[in-house]
Amino acid sequence: MEALRQQIAKMRQSFFDEEILDKYFLQLEQLEDISNPGFVKDVVTLYLRDSTKTLATIEDEMAKSPVDFMNLDKCFHQLKGSSASVGANKVLNEVNKAREHCKEGNLEAAQASFAQLKMEHTTLQAKLLAYFE
Amino acid sequence: MNLNNDKGSMSTASSSVTVSDQFPAGLRVLVVDDDPTCLRILEKMLGTCLYEVTKCNRAEIALDMLRTNKNGYDIVISDVHMPDMDGFKLLEQVGLEMDLPVIMMSADDSKQVVMKGVTHGACDYLIKPVRIEALKNIWQHVVRKRKNEWKDLEQSGSVEEGDRQPKPSEEADYSSSANEGNWRTSKRRKDEEEEMEERDDTSTLKKPRVVWSVELHQQFVSAVNQLGIDKAVPKKILELMNVPGLTRENVASHLQKYRLYLRRLSGVSPHQGNSFISSHSQEPPYGSLSSLSGLDFQTLAATGQIPAQSLATLQAAGLARSAAKPGLPMPLVDQRNIFSFDNQKLRFGEGQPQHMSSGKQMNLLHGIPTTMDSKQLVNLHHSAQSLGSLNMQASAHGNPSGQSSPLLMQMAQPQSRGQILTETSGGQVPRLPTSVGHPILSNGAAGAMLARNGIGENSRGTGYNSVSQTSSVLNFPLNHSAELPGNSFPLGSTPGISAGMSTLTTKGGFQEEINSDIKGSGGFMPSYDIFNDLQQHKPHNWELQNVGFAFDASQHSNSLQASVDVTPSVLVNQGYSSSPRNVQNSNVSAMGKPIFSVGEGSEHGNALNVGQHLNSLLVDNSTRVKSERVTDTSCQPTLLPQHFGQEDLMSAILKQQDGLGPAENDFEFDGYSLDNIPV
C-alpha cells in the first residue's frame, strides 16, 4: 500500500516536474475534499473526454478543404479554456501554438502543431489515467 | 477552505445594507458555460466559496431560468464564447431584463474582448483559467449594485453620486459596441416587468430590484425625452417621473442602459453626420434606445400635430394641438409620422435590435446637428408622442397605426421589431391612444411612455405613432433646417429614430403601441430613406411605413396616407407624393416627416422637405423613414422600457425636430413645435 502511494506520489511529482501539469491542477486538488472525493478525477475525466472530441473535430476540419480557420479557431479556443482550467500545461502550450498558426492561416504549421498537440494530449491522458487508477 | 473571511467585510461594506452574517455565503450564482469541464470546476469552486450554485450550459436555458425565477439569482457568470448565443448578448439581456450583475469569462484575454465586456456592462471580466481567489470576491459586485439601488431609494434625487449618467457617460454608453443588442430581450422584459417591485427601504441586501415595467419605462422615456437626451440627468428624470419609491440610482442605471440601447440602435453609420451618433453609436443599445426614445417622442410630439383626431385622444396636451387642427392635413402627416415613429418605436419594442435603430436614429438626429439638437429631439419626441397618440387615435380610428405598426415594425430594423409593430398595430393601437396619450401629451416623453406603459400592445401602437412621428418629426426639423440637407440627416436620423422607434414599437412588448404608430410613420418612410441608410435597418420597417400610411387613412390622413405611402414600399410615398402637398401630406411624403407639415404652417416647408425627403426616402424606404414619420406622433417611444433607446430616440427625434425648424408645429405637444422645421 505504501509502495503504491509512493508510486502515485512520484507520478504526480513528475507531472509537475515535466510541466505537464501546472498550478491550476493544484487548485483543483485543493478543491477536492472529504465531501467531494473524486472531484479531480471527475474533472479530469470530463476534460479528457471533451478534449478528445474537440481534437477529433479539429482533425476533421483540417482535413477539409478549404480549411475553415474560423471554426478551427473556435475549437482551439475552447480547448485552450478547458486545458487551462485543469492545468494541462503542455497541452495548453501546444494549443496556443497551433492557434497562432491558424490565425496566420498557416495550415501546415498548424497541422504540425496539432500533431504535437495530439501527442501531448495522449501522453497526458495515459498518465492521468494511470495516476487515477 | 472557507470564505468566511468575506463575510466580515461585507457587513462593513455598505452601511445601509444589512448583510446577514452569512453573507456572502448563500449568494445565488448562475453559471453559464458550454464547456462542461469549466462548468464543473466553477461549480466546485463556487461551492467552496459557500455560494449557491446553479449551472447551465446553454445561454437560452439560463435566460429562461432567470426569467422564471426573477429574484432567484444574485449574480450571473457567463462565458463569452458559446455556441448558441454570444456571451455579450446574454450579458445585455440580463442587464436589461433583470439588472443583475454579470461577470464575463473567457480564455481570451485580448484587450478588445475585455473592452467589449466592459462596454456591454459586465461587472467584471475573468480570464480562464479562473482562480478561486477571483471567485471569492464576486460578492462585491452584488453588494455594489444593491448599494446603488438603495441609495436611489433612500435618497431619491438628492444625492448626486451614483449619477451615472453624466454627459460623458453617455458617450461611454454610446461606445459600447453592442450592435447586437437585441431588443428582443427588452420585449421579453416588458412582459416580465409589468409591475415594478415595490421599493421598500428595507435595507436588506436583497432589496427588491426595481422592475422597470413598461409603464415605468414609458414614464422614464417620456421624462428623458422631455428633458432632452442630452440633458436628461437622473435627478430630473426622477422628478419628472414622480414615481414614489424610485431612486435616482435606479433611474441612473436605467438611463445608462437606455443610452446603451439607443446607441446600439443608432449604431448604424451615421450618414448624416451624426457625429454624435457615430461616435456613440457603438453599442450601447441602451443608449440608443434612450436616444431613440427621446427622438421618438419628439417625433411623436412633432407629429403630435398629426391626426387631429388622434391627438385629441391621445394626448390632450400635445396632441390636442394637432387635434385642434382637425382636418389639418398635417395631422395626417403627423400620424404618419407617428407611425413611422412608431415603427421606430416598435423597433425598440423589439428589443435590442431596435435599440440599434433607435440609437441610430438618435444619432441621426444628432448627426443633424443643424438644427436639431437634443432639444429638438425632445420636441420631436414630444411631437412624436403626440403623433403617437395621434396615431394611436388614428389607429383607434382605423387602426391604421396598428397596421402601420407592423409596418413600422418592419421598418425598424429588421429586428423582431416588426413583430411588435404588427402586434401593436393590430390591437394595440387602439389601446395606445390611451396610454400613449398620456405620456405623450404630458411630456413628449409620452412616446416613451407609450412604449413603456404596459400598454404594451396598445401603447405600442401609440407609442409607435409617437415614435414614428417623432422620428418623422425629427426628420423634418432636420431636413428643414438644412432644407433637406438635413433631409438626409433627418431622414437618416429618422430612420434611425424610426428604426429605433420601430424597434421601440416593435419591441413589441412595450412598444406595441408604437407599432401602430410606426405605421403612421410609415408615411415618414420617405423621409426615412435617409435613415435607411443610417439605420441599415431592414426595410421591413418601411413596411410599417405603409402601415403608418394606412393608418392615416383612417384619420384624415387620407391625404396623409397618400403621402405616407410615399415611401416606396410604404404607402407613404404614395400618399405623400400624391397627396397634395398639403402641409401634412406633403410634408410627410417629403420628408417622411409629415409630421411637420401636418400641424404646422411650417409644414409647408416641411411638406416640401418631406416631399423631397420622402421621395428620396421612399426610394430607400429604408425603414427608417417610417420611423421618422413617427416623429410626428411624438410617439415617444414609450415603447417598452427596454426600448429605452426608442424613447430616447423619439425624444431625440423630437428634439431634433424641434430644433430643425420651429415649424409652427401645431403639434407642439409639449412645446415641441413641429415648427422646428424651419420651413
Side-chain angles (χ1 to χ4, degrees):
Chain A
M1 197 54 201
E2 186 54 33
L4 188 58
R5 271 202 224 166
Q6 276 186 359
Q7 194 180 14
I8 293 177
K10 255 200 190 165
M11 250 192 187
R12 184 172 169 279
Q13 192 55 38
S14 75
F15 284 147
F16 293 111
D17 291 341
E18 295 173 27
E19 290 184 3
I20 292 179
L21 295 177
D22 60 19
K23 59 184 175 174
Y24 287 103
F25 188 78
L26 273 178
Q27 193 175 239
L28 283 187
E29 286 185 330
Q30 281 169 1
L31 283 175
E32 183 169 282
D33 53 22
I34 306 294
S35 61
N36 250 294
F39 168 70
V40 183
K41 186 169 180 202
D42 277 348
V43 173
V44 168
T45 311
L46 265 177
Y47 166 70
L48 287 173
R49 190 184 64 191
D50 281 341
S51 53
T52 308
K53 252 196 278 169
T54 310
L55 284 176
T57 308
I58 294 178
E59 198 156 6
D60 287 343
E61 278 292 327
M62 282 194 167
K64 285 191 201 164
S65 67
V67 171
D68 183 358
F69 282 110
M70 286 292 294
N71 230 355
L72 274 184
D73 190 65
K74 269 198 237 165
C75 292
F76 278 123
H77 181 91
Q78 167 115 5
L79 204 52
K80 179 180 175 184
S82 50
S83 303
S85 300
V86 301
N89 197 29
K90 279 202 171 161
V91 172
L92 182 62
N93 289 341
E94 293 304 322
V95 169
N96 283 335
K97 276 196 229 156
R99 197 156 174 241
E100 272 308 305
H101 293 311
C102 267
K103 287 209 186 125
E104 298 161 4
N106 189 346
L107 182 60
E108 285 180 11
Q111 276 174 333
S113 295
F114 177 69
Q116 186 82 5
L117 168 63
K118 258 182 103 183
M119 197 187 73
E120 292 294 341
H121 180 260
T122 313
T123 310
L124 176 69
Q125 189 167 17
K127 291 207 168 154
L128 283 175
L129 285 179
Y131 175 70
F132 284 112
E133 284 308 322
Chain B
M1 55 176 112
N2 61 351
L3 305 177
N4 294 338
N5 50 351
D6 296 329
K7 302 191 195 150
S9 47
M10 264 312 295
S11 42
T12 53
S14 38
S15 50
S16 54
V17 177
T18 33
V19 181
S20 77
D21 288 345
Q22 291 294 307
F23 194 86
L27 197 71
R28 297 158 303 169
V29 185
L30 176 65
V31 183
V32 189
D33 193 341
D34 60 324
D35 182 1
T37 311
C38 291
L39 205 57
R40 184 83 180 82
I41 295 178
L42 279 168
E43 182 193 33
K44 188 68 174 67
M45 282 194 203
L46 291 167
T48 307
C49 298
L50 297 182
Y51 295 151
E52 211 180 275
V53 186
T54 311
K55 49 176 190 175
C56 189
N57 64 350
R58 300 244 356 259
E60 297 289 345
I61 300 177
L63 272 174
D64 282 341
M65 290 166 75
L66 284 167
R67 288 188 188 125
T68 53
N69 195 0
K70 279 277 179 79
N71 276 326
Y73 303 100
D74 297 309
I75 190 165
V76 179
I77 302 182
S78 167
D79 185 31
V80 167
H81 296 93
M82 288 192 286
D84 62 333
M85 185 194 285
D86 186 29
F88 294 116
K89 278 213 190 101
L90 178 64
L91 163 62
E92 283 170 10
Q93 299 207 347
V94 171
L96 269 182
E97 297 187 26
M98 297 113 201
D99 194 26
L100 284 176
V102 182
I103 295 179
M104 301 301 295
M105 275 192 307
S106 179
D108 194 354
D109 60 351
S110 65
K111 204 168 122 194
Q112 306 95 296
V113 182
V114 178
M115 175 66 81
K116 209 171 168 198
V118 172
T119 51
H120 279 66
C123 289
D124 204 352
Y125 191 101
L126 303 175
I127 309 289
K128 285 186 188 173
V130 180
R131 295 170 308 118
I132 192 162
E133 295 79 26
L135 292 179
K136 279 191 194 171
N137 285 329
I138 62 175
W139 57 263
Q140 64 174 292
H141 303 296
V142 179
V143 174
R144 192 176 295 121
K145 238 191 179 131
R146 294 210 187 274
K147 189 159 178 279
N148 287 339
E149 284 180 357
W150 251 345
K151 258 212 180 120
D152 284 340
L153 278 184
E154 291 173 359
Q155 321 156 348
S156 51
S158 57
V159 179
E160 201 57 23
E161 67 136 39
D163 180 6
R164 314 198 237 173
Q165 281 121 33
K167 286 286 175 82
S169 62
E170 283 187 18
E171 330 256 309
D173 291 343
Y174 285 95
S175 58
S176 62
S177 55
N179 273 334
E180 51 213 12
N182 318 316
W183 273 105
R184 270 168 159 269
T185 50
S186 48
K187 184 171 162 188
R188 293 197 216 142
R189 247 185 97 181
K190 118 185 138 80
D191 293 330
E192 296 163 359
E193 303 179 27
E194 277 303 309
E195 72 286 352
M196 239 199 330
E197 291 180 25
E198 72 247 355
R199 318 177 218 262
D200 16 354
D201 297 340
T202 35
S203 2
T204 51
L205 189 60
K206 306 216 179 226
K207 119 178 133 80
R209 264 189 328 109
V210 169
V211 174
W212 283 89
S213 65
V214 173
E215 284 161 17
L216 196 60
H217 180 74
Q218 283 179 351
Q219 271 181 289
F220 169 82
V221 177
S222 315
V224 170
N225 292 329
Q226 197 172 351
L227 292 168
I229 189 64
D230 290 336
K231 295 202 169 52
V233 287
K235 187 164 178 181
K236 296 209 181 118
I237 296 175
L238 190 62
E239 287 166 10
L240 274 178
M241 286 176 68
N242 195 23
V243 173
L246 188 62
T247 68
R248 200 177 55 78
E249 294 239 347
N250 295 140
V251 174
S253 60
H254 196 71
L255 179 60
Q256 191 176 36
K257 291 185 192 154
Y258 189 62
R259 290 215 181 104
L260 280 173
Y261 171 73
L262 288 181
R263 281 199 192 262
R264 200 194 305 230
L265 286 174
S266 59
V268 184
S269 58
H271 301 302
Q272 320 220 323
N274 291 323
S275 51
F276 185 65
I277 302 179
S278 45
S279 56
H280 304 302
S281 53
Q282 294 192 343
E283 340 204 291
Y286 296 98
S288 53
L289 279 182
S290 48
S291 53
L292 285 176
S293 46
L295 290 175
D296 291 342
F297 286 110
Q298 294 187 344
T299 46
L300 288 178
T303 51
Q305 302 210 351
I306 6 183
Q309 303 170 8
S310 50
L311 286 176
T313 23
L314 288 176
Q315 328 219 344
L319 297 175
R321 295 206 326 166
S322 45
K325 297 187 191 210
L328 291 178
M330 298 214 347
L332 292 179
V333 172
D334 290 337
Q335 290 186 355
R336 281 200 269 184
N337 291 335
I338 303 183
F339 289 119
S340 52
F341 198 71
D342 287 339
N343 287 330
Q344 291 188 346
K345 288 216 211 160
L346 291 177
R347 291 205 280 190
F348 283 111
E350 301 262 312
Q352 295 156 20
Q354 296 190 342
H355 280 296
M356 307 288 293
S357 49
S358 49
K360 295 190 198 167
Q361 297 182 345
M362 277 285 306
N363 295 335
L364 296 178
L365 292 178
H366 289 290
I368 311 188
T370 48
T371 48
M372 316 247 290
D373 41 87
S374 53
K375 288 197 182 160
Q376 291 186 348
L377 286 179
V378 176
N379 292 336
L380 287 177
H381 203 58
H382 290 300
S383 49
Q385 288 182 345
S386 43
L387 286 177
S389 44
L390 288 177
N391 286 336
M392 296 286 307
Q393 302 192 351
S395 52
H397 302 302
N399 266 333
S401 51
Q403 302 166 7
S404 30
S405 330
L407 289 181
L408 291 176
M409 306 256 320
Q410 306 194 345
M411 293 202 335
Q413 317 223 340
Q415 301 166 358
S416 48
R417 304 218 240 157
Q419 305 166 3
I420 303 186
L421 289 174
T422 46
E423 294 177 352
T424 50
S425 51
Q428 319 294 346
V429 175
R431 291 192 281 181
L432 289 176
T434 48
S435 51
V436 173
H438 301 315
I440 303 184
L441 295 176
S442 49
N443 331 302
M449 306 240 336
L450 291 178
R452 310 249 253 155
N453 292 329
I455 312 188
E457 298 294 319
N458 296 329
S459 41
R460 284 210 300 196
T462 45
Y464 295 116
N465 291 329
S466 47
V467 172
S468 48
Q469 296 193 344
T470 9
S471 47
S472 50
V473 173
L474 289 174
N475 294 326
F476 291 104
L478 295 176
N479 294 330
H480 289 304
S481 53
E483 191 55 308
L484 307 186
N487 290 330
S488 55
F489 182 79
L491 292 180
S493 49
T494 30
I497 304 184
S498 27
M501 305 215 297
S502 0
T503 46
L504 288 177
T505 46
T506 49
K507 292 249 198 129
F510 306 115
Q511 325 230 339
E512 305 191 89
E513 3 179 48
I514 309 202
N515 293 329
S516 47
D517 289 334
I518 302 205
K519 291 208 245 181
S521 39
F524 295 124
M525 308 265 288
S527 54
Y528 290 116
D529 288 340
I530 301 184
F531 283 125
N532 288 328
D533 299 340
L534 293 179
Q535 300 190 336
Q536 302 177 358
H537 298 305
K538 299 190 207 164
H540 52 262
N541 294 328
W542 290 116
E543 296 182 331
L544 290 176
Q545 295 179 343
N546 290 323
V547 176
F549 297 125
F551 185 87
D552 290 314
S554 58
Q555 305 263 354
H556 322 296
S557 53
N558 292 322
S559 54
L560 284 176
Q561 296 187 342
S563 32
V564 169
D565 296 339
V566 179
T567 52
S569 56
V570 180
L571 307 177
V572 178
N573 290 328
Q574 305 161 12
Y576 285 104
S577 44
S578 57
S579 60
R581 285 318 169 118
N582 315 334
V583 195
Q584 302 176 356
N585 296 330
S586 48
N587 292 335
V588 173
S589 49
M591 308 226 316
K593 300 202 215 178
I595 309 179
F596 294 111
S597 53
V598 176
E600 320 181 332
S602 57
E603 300 174 343
H604 306 302
N606 298 332
L608 295 179
N609 295 332
V610 173
Q612 298 175 12
H613 298 301
L614 287 178
N615 294 322
S616 54
L617 291 174
L618 296 179
V619 179
D620 293 355
N621 273 327
S622 32
T623 51
R624 302 210 279 203
V625 172
K626 290 198 199 168
S627 39
E628 298 195 340
R629 301 288 305 238
V630 175
T631 53
D632 285 335
T633 49
S634 60
C635 294
Q636 306 198 351
T638 47
L639 300 173
L640 314 173
Q642 297 181 355
H643 306 304
F644 300 114
Q646 287 186 344
E647 298 188 339
D648 287 346
L649 270 181
M650 294 286 298
S651 46
I653 299 179
L654 289 175
K655 284 193 207 168
Q656 293 194 353
Q657 290 186 341
D658 287 337
L660 289 184
E664 318 169 325
N665 304 340
D666 292 28
F667 300 118
E668 307 184 1
F669 292 105
D670 286 303
Y672 292 120
S673 43
L674 288 178
D675 297 73
N676 288 331
I677 315 179
V679 176

